[in-house]
Amino acid sequence: MIGEKADHHEALLAQPNLDDRMCADILRRQRNTPERELAAQTRLPWLVCQIVAKSNLGQTEHLSALCQRALDLVSPDTSQLVMLHLLRALADHEIRAQSSVGANALAKFETVVRKSQYPEFLYDARLLNLLVHMGDRSKHFVENELEICARYFKDNRLWLRYAKTCNSQLMHLEEHPQEEQRKLAMSALRASRRGGHNHHYALTLLNIVDIYLESNQLDAAHRLLNSTAQFIRSTKIPRNTIAFALFCCNRALWLVKSGHQAKYQHQYRKSITLAKRLECNLLTIMMYQELADGAKTFGDMALQSQVLQEQIEFHKALARSRMDQAQRAAQLDDRVESLEDIQAPPPTPINLINQAQIDELTQLPTRAVLDERLRSITTSNQATVFAFIDLNNFKEINDSMSHYAGDSALQVFASRLSKALAHIGTVYRWGGDEFFFVSDPNTDSELVRQTLDNCAVIKGSDWTHDGVTVPLTARVGTVQYPNEAKTAATVMRFAALTLQAAKHTTHKILHFKSELREQFERSIRLKRHLATMDIETNITVEFQSIYHMKNLTQMGCEVLARWNYEGEKISPSEFIPLLMALNREHELLRSVLNKSIEQLKRHPNRNTFCAINVSPTLFCQQDFADMLLRDLNHHPAWIRKSLVLEIVESETLGTRQSAAENAAQLQAAGLRLAIDDFGAGFSTMEQLANLPFDIIKIDKGFINTLTDGSIKQTILKSMIQLAKDTQKIVIVEGIETQQQLDIVSQLNADCGQGYYFSGER
């Protein structure tokens, strides 16, 4: 083995079906081969063979570290095949680990795939991308993409890839008829058998067990669990594998559902320990939740509390690892230049200059040219306006219409923007869906800003792809040198800050103000504290009453989250977005939900309700309804009927399939839905049609300056009548004066809410 060349390892990687026997042989031989004795050019292919083998066999312990070692050896001489295998394995593993490196690795994988001569990796990239963003895509799109990938892998006899795709169809499209599920399962099993992939055969069996358990077919699940155990023993699948971790988890769930209290905790503990060791954080999180649910089922409140605390500690550990992940992602970015040059024909000096200066996709000047331009401007002290530009909703275009459509959108937007601003400056490609504009020397700054403010391309212009028309709009943040930013670094920083601020306003363009820097520094300080704060004890709630307009009796209340930090009352509009950025909104919702339920149980009137705010982002998550209903399962049915979820209207709320599915599931369980701040910005009749809201809460902006006979009163009257015609309850927010109360009462609104009531009653 020591004398073997890199060609031997690349020949192994070129095998279309690297079966389990070959993978085990690779690991056995490499255990007996010290890496230090290998030739330099052999080490990377040797490591990548090991990574692929461990990934195929589900033996993913220390796989991140192994990939890191491999990345350290990447150079412009690295072969395309080796790089593709490394990036695919890295993306797959880090996505399972819920690491930010996963998305980065997938992006780099796609970059190399587009220039490769291996079409099978293109379908790997499509499948991985689909699995990452599945919750954001329509059911039809998911089914179509999975079917395309499955057909390609099957036609080309790529059995492990085909089996994985069939399993994805099986697990992510569970609502399919039972006969169709059976066919998918048999296809995955046959493909695993034909390819010699015993570990994946066991995974498929366990996925079928999971489906049996979800549908409470406990006898069938038990029989198949026993058969799977026998298969694992007969094929000598080791215990340090993903399949064995999943087997322990499924066995534990069967014990819970069958009422066997004695052994379930031991099985879950075993599976959690193994999943952590295998760096499968997604599986670990799922197992913690199932263990907590099991404890709740058996009424073991002490264990449930202990597991919830362990979950919190595990999430904290994940949060602490973000810094390391950021460093690893940065290292991956450092390899971009090498990745783009891998296996490319040797370019002439002129081609090298063009590649560095002109972005291949958009044909705009690159970031390298921008850096040089920025140095020149700051050296000569030229007065210049800079603008950071971000294309809106680019992710939705990618996810719903494909990455090829996304590339087309970028090309069209870049061309239009460059032409629209050519008379005052130059547009550069920053990266992804972001662009940078620099005004020409001695161009009047006020003229530049007015041109940007009135630019039709930024405001929005239609783009059509495959018969689908989408408006392309942008958000812009500007900064002026040297009046507002004195150095190249502060130009970039302040432009980025202003762009981020623009994304949180209704304005498409925002110009820099010194307060933005103070706000940014404040948000960093608050975010650092929120990252480790115990939400349950530090976030309190207030209950703002909602009154019936006819007799002014209390009908319910809105639950408002409150946070005091170092003696200051922090507004929910400030701290909730920070919690969302930290992926802690689930925890906040759970805390608010528990406090609301306590209030409902203390209230003497069972007909009252508590309205809880939920962000559109959270509501559109695929598992949101399941998560919420799990939390409510141990409460009586009247509690669910007393809860209202308020969702702030947004541009994408009515277009997400997951939102419609969550709405239907929650309403079937007895909860009611309200659209909050109706009329504030994104209201459409389509939203009211697509999502079956029970309640419309009209934004207080219609009430602030409401007077008898005003245009606002006419608009408000029409909105209330629309709600009445569609059998929805109307709550008018922001009532502060007797005059406003009288007008709203005359317009036949059902309920009112505002400081007037807290002052009067």
Side-chain angles (χ1 to χ4, degrees), residues 49 107 113 139 189 198 214 222 284 375 411 455 472 500:
C49 275
V113 162
K139 176 183 172 184
L189 291 172
N198 292 331
E214 287 296 320
H222 189 233
T284 304
R375 277 193 292 271
Q411 289 170 329
C455 179
L472 297 180
Q500 288 303 313

Side-chain angles (χ1 to χ4, degrees), residues 53-69:
K54 289 173 76 70
S55 182
N56 286 358
L57 294 173
Q59 298 176 26
T60 55
E61 188 173 2
H62 306 310
L63 196 62
S64 288
L66 206 59
C67 290
Q68 190 69 21
R69 281 166 54 198

